[in-house]
Short mmCIF file of all heavy atoms in Angstrom, two decimals:
data_model
loop_
_atom_site.label_atom_id
_atom_site.label_comp_id
_atom_site.label_asym_id
_atom_site.label_seq_id
_atom_site.Cartn_x
_atom_site.Cartn_y
_atom_site.Cartn_z
N ASN U 79 -67.71 32.23 -10.43
CA ASN U 79 -67.66 32.40 -8.98
C ASN U 79 -68.45 31.26 -8.22
O ASN U 79 -68.05 30.75 -7.23
CB ASN U 79 -68.30 33.75 -8.55
CG ASN U 79 -67.47 34.91 -8.99
OD1 ASN U 79 -66.25 34.80 -9.13
ND2 ASN U 79 -68.07 36.08 -9.21
N HIS U 80 -69.53 30.87 -8.87
CA HIS U 80 -70.32 29.78 -8.36
C HIS U 80 -69.52 28.47 -8.35
O HIS U 80 -69.48 27.72 -7.33
CB HIS U 80 -71.60 29.57 -9.16
CG HIS U 80 -72.36 28.33 -8.87
ND1 HIS U 80 -72.12 27.13 -9.52
CD2 HIS U 80 -73.40 28.09 -7.96
CE1 HIS U 80 -72.92 26.22 -9.04
NE2 HIS U 80 -73.72 26.77 -8.14
N ASP U 81 -68.80 28.22 -9.44
CA ASP U 81 -68.01 26.99 -9.56
C ASP U 81 -66.82 27.00 -8.59
O ASP U 81 -66.46 25.97 -8.05
CB ASP U 81 -67.50 26.84 -11.02
CG ASP U 81 -68.62 26.33 -11.93
OD1 ASP U 81 -69.73 26.12 -11.45
OD2 ASP U 81 -68.33 26.06 -13.12
N LYS U 82 -66.21 28.16 -8.41
CA LYS U 82 -65.12 28.29 -7.50
C LYS U 82 -65.59 27.91 -6.07
O LYS U 82 -64.91 27.28 -5.30
CB LYS U 82 -64.51 29.67 -7.50
CG LYS U 82 -63.69 30.00 -8.74
CD LYS U 82 -63.12 31.39 -8.68
CE LYS U 82 -62.30 31.67 -9.94
NZ LYS U 82 -61.75 33.08 -9.96
N LEU U 83 -66.80 28.38 -5.72
CA LEU U 83 -67.35 28.10 -4.39
C LEU U 83 -67.57 26.58 -4.26
O LEU U 83 -67.25 25.98 -3.25
CB LEU U 83 -68.68 28.81 -4.17
CG LEU U 83 -69.38 28.56 -2.86
CD1 LEU U 83 -68.49 28.91 -1.65
CD2 LEU U 83 -70.72 29.29 -2.81
N ILE U 84 -68.07 25.96 -5.31
CA ILE U 84 -68.34 24.50 -5.31
C ILE U 84 -66.97 23.77 -5.11
O ILE U 84 -66.88 22.81 -4.33
CB ILE U 84 -68.99 24.05 -6.58
CG1 ILE U 84 -70.40 24.61 -6.71
CG2 ILE U 84 -69.00 22.54 -6.64
CD1 ILE U 84 -71.38 24.00 -5.75
N MET U 85 -65.96 24.22 -5.82
CA MET U 85 -64.64 23.57 -5.73
C MET U 85 -64.02 23.75 -4.33
O MET U 85 -63.42 22.81 -3.80
CB MET U 85 -63.71 24.11 -6.79
CG MET U 85 -63.82 23.49 -8.13
SD MET U 85 -63.71 21.67 -8.11
CE MET U 85 -62.16 21.44 -7.29
N VAL U 86 -64.19 24.94 -3.73
CA VAL U 86 -63.67 25.16 -2.41
C VAL U 86 -64.40 24.24 -1.40
O VAL U 86 -63.75 23.61 -0.57
CB VAL U 86 -63.87 26.64 -2.01
CG1 VAL U 86 -63.57 26.79 -0.51
CG2 VAL U 86 -62.95 27.55 -2.78
N LEU U 87 -65.69 24.12 -1.57
CA LEU U 87 -66.45 23.20 -0.66
C LEU U 87 -65.98 21.77 -0.90
O LEU U 87 -65.86 20.97 0.07
CB LEU U 87 -67.96 23.33 -0.95
CG LEU U 87 -68.59 24.69 -0.56
CD1 LEU U 87 -70.02 24.70 -0.98
CD2 LEU U 87 -68.52 24.84 0.98
N GLY U 88 -65.81 21.42 -2.18
CA GLY U 88 -65.39 20.03 -2.50
C GLY U 88 -64.01 19.68 -1.92
O GLY U 88 -63.84 18.61 -1.33
N VAL U 89 -63.08 20.55 -2.11
CA VAL U 89 -61.71 20.36 -1.57
C VAL U 89 -61.74 20.32 -0.08
O VAL U 89 -61.11 19.45 0.58
CB VAL U 89 -60.74 21.44 -2.11
CG1 VAL U 89 -59.40 21.32 -1.38
CG2 VAL U 89 -60.55 21.33 -3.59
N ALA U 90 -62.47 21.24 0.54
CA ALA U 90 -62.55 21.29 2.01
C ALA U 90 -63.17 20.01 2.57
O ALA U 90 -62.68 19.45 3.54
CB ALA U 90 -63.34 22.52 2.44
N PHE U 91 -64.22 19.54 1.92
CA PHE U 91 -64.88 18.34 2.39
C PHE U 91 -64.00 17.13 2.27
O PHE U 91 -63.85 16.36 3.25
CB PHE U 91 -66.19 18.09 1.59
CG PHE U 91 -66.82 16.75 1.88
CD1 PHE U 91 -67.54 16.53 3.03
CD2 PHE U 91 -66.63 15.68 0.97
CE1 PHE U 91 -68.12 15.30 3.27
CE2 PHE U 91 -67.21 14.46 1.22
CZ PHE U 91 -67.98 14.26 2.37
N ASN U 92 -63.37 16.93 1.12
CA ASN U 92 -62.56 15.74 0.91
C ASN U 92 -61.28 15.70 1.71
O ASN U 92 -60.95 14.71 2.31
CB ASN U 92 -62.28 15.56 -0.58
CG ASN U 92 -63.48 15.16 -1.38
OD1 ASN U 92 -63.96 14.06 -1.29
ND2 ASN U 92 -63.99 16.07 -2.18
#
Side-chain angles (χ1 to χ4, degrees):
N79 291 334
H80 170 271
D81 283 2
K82 286 180 181 178
L83 177 60
I84 294 290
M85 277 307 304
V86 169
L87 291 174
V89 171
F91 170 78
N92 288 290

